[in-house]
Amino acid sequence: MFRLIHSARTLRTARLPTLARATPLSAAWRAPTRPLPIYPRRGFASSHQSHSESNASSGMYALAIFVSMLGVSYAAVPLYRIFCASTGYSGTPVTDSTRFAAERLVPDGESRRIRITFESNTSDSLQWSFKPELREVRVVPGETALTFYRAKNHAKEDIVGIATYNVTPYRAGQYFNKIQCFCFEEQMLRAGEEVDMPVFFFIDPDFNDDPYMKEVNTITLSYTLFNAKYAKNIVPGQRP
Amino acid sequence: MSYGRPPGIESFSGKPPALGSFPLDHDGECKDFMKEYIKCLRANKNDNGACREFSRAYLQCRMDNGLMAQDDMKNLGYQDSSKPTAGEESKNK
């Protein structure tokens, strides 16, 4: 019968029966003259001391993974912002000054004229009338164009308005570059005052290379005016 | 900003203007130039290529009256006006 031996250090000696000899019945089993060692059989459980060592080391591994995951989740915030800013993913404004370089502002003589139509909307809390002076302008990509909106303050006090815009069709918005306009900044009109607000823009020359833009012949620019008092956070991204 | 929205939903895809915002022309100093430009466009079926001179004149008026930062007309897309057609300009560049 074998015994499970836990300690490696002690070598138990056991007694083995000696070689059979012709002995009388009375001379029974006699102890061996020298002790014979039995090597301990190791099971799957290690010694008491390596239990705690391996527990401690796996605990350290788990703690290290936990701390590194925590660090990665903190680092993800600026990394995601950098990724979005460089690729323009999900509508993040891409601010790249090379698109406005003088070489790109050259009218492309060979391409067709694109119709840019203008729309306007006002918020109900704003007592201004806001209409485009020109309903449409026909431009080629690369050609800078100017258009005007007329705004009149019908109220009896000075009101500050702020405008946002959007471009339809959606995909054409990335080619609609504005050099200067009146959006995203607060504009104050005195009571009863009327002004003309210009928009200076161009269609990016890359418009002709985009296969999605082959069928696009009309681009609509739509401005919406809000009362700056009630519209604190309507400007997406950073304000210039 | 649009994180978490389902794909295909339109989000704002515009960029802020390169030179910022035009100061408002409260005194109407460049109103005449604007009227000339609009008259030209109405006469030419809203063709921007025919009325480049007038828009250039309007921007020049704005610069002269302090309503716009001084800038070289080439940076604003107005190449040398002595070239007659737009096709020639693109070939030369």
Side-chain angles (χ1 to χ4, degrees), chain A residues 80 89-95 99-103 105-110 113 128 133-140 142-148 150 164-168 170 173-185 187-190 193-200 236-238 240, chain B residues 1-5 7-28 30-31 33-35 37-39 41-42 44-50 52 54-59 62 67-69 71 73-79 85-93:
Chain A
Y80 184 73
Y89 179 70
S90 269
T92 312
V94 178
T95 46
R99 344 165 52 111
F100 295 91
E103 308 82 58
L105 299 180
V106 180
D108 183 3
E110 285 86 35
R113 289 232 160 233
W128 289 13
E133 286 266 12
L134 293 161
R135 274 290 159 189
E136 65 171 40
V137 170
R138 293 190 298 122
V139 299
V140 288
E143 193 178 59
T144 52
L146 190 61
T147 182
F148 293 93
R150 174 167 299 183
T164 65
Y165 74 98
N166 62 57
V167 178
T168 331
Y170 176 67
Q174 58 183 311
Y175 297 108
F176 193 89
N177 297 330
K178 295 200 293 181
I179 299 173
Q180 206 164 357
C181 66
F182 56 91
C183 47
F184 306 145
E185 294 239 346
Q187 314 282 356
M188 193 191 71
L189 276 189
R190 295 189 282 269
E193 191 182 359
E194 184 177 23
V195 284
D196 299 301
M197 300 157 130
V199 180
F200 192 44
Q238 290 103 21
Chain B
M1 273 166 298
S2 57
Y3 179 67
R5 279 203 254 153
I9 296 271
E10 294 185 11
S11 61
F12 182 73
S13 65
K15 303 159 276 290
L19 299 180
S21 187
F22 274 121
L24 286 186
D25 184 8
H26 290 282
D27 304 323
C30 297
K31 209 172 161 100
F33 291 89
M34 183 201 82
K35 286 203 190 318
Y37 174 65
I38 291 179
K39 225 170 19 173
L41 274 184
R42 295 218 167 105
N44 285 305
K45 292 198 301 189
N46 294 323
D47 183 359
N48 184 46
R52 303 271 287 160
F54 294 95
S55 55
R56 183 193 177 128
Y58 176 80
L59 294 174
R62 275 212 162 228
L67 293 167
M68 187 172 165
D71 202 356
M73 276 300 171
K74 278 205 256 299
N75 292 337
L76 298 173
Y78 294 101
Q79 278 73 28
T85 62
E88 241 183 75
E89 282 173 28
S90 63
K91 281 193 207 111
N92 284 337
K93 292 278 177 198

Side-chain angles (χ1 to χ4, degrees), chain A residues 218-235:
Chain A
T218 306
I219 296 177
T220 302
L221 173 69
S222 167
Y223 270 93
T224 309
L225 258 185
F226 296 94
N227 193 333
K229 203 164 33 144
Y230 306 121
K232 287 283 175 239
N233 293 315
I234 58 165
V235 175

Side-chain angles (χ1 to χ4, degrees), chain A residues 79-89 92-95:
Chain A
L79 284 177
Y80 184 73
R81 201 178 297 140
I82 292 169
F83 166 73
C84 283
S86 60
T87 60
Y89 179 70
T92 312
V94 178
T95 46

Side-chain angles (χ1 to χ4, degrees), chain A residues 26-54:
Chain A
S26 59
W29 180 83
R30 202 177 294 179
T33 48
R34 65 175 174 85
L36 296 168
I38 291 186
Y39 289 96
R41 187 154 161 219
R42 296 193 84 150
F44 287 105
S46 19
S47 67
H48 175 75
Q49 197 184 35
S50 54
H51 254 310
S52 64
E53 273 175 8
S54 70

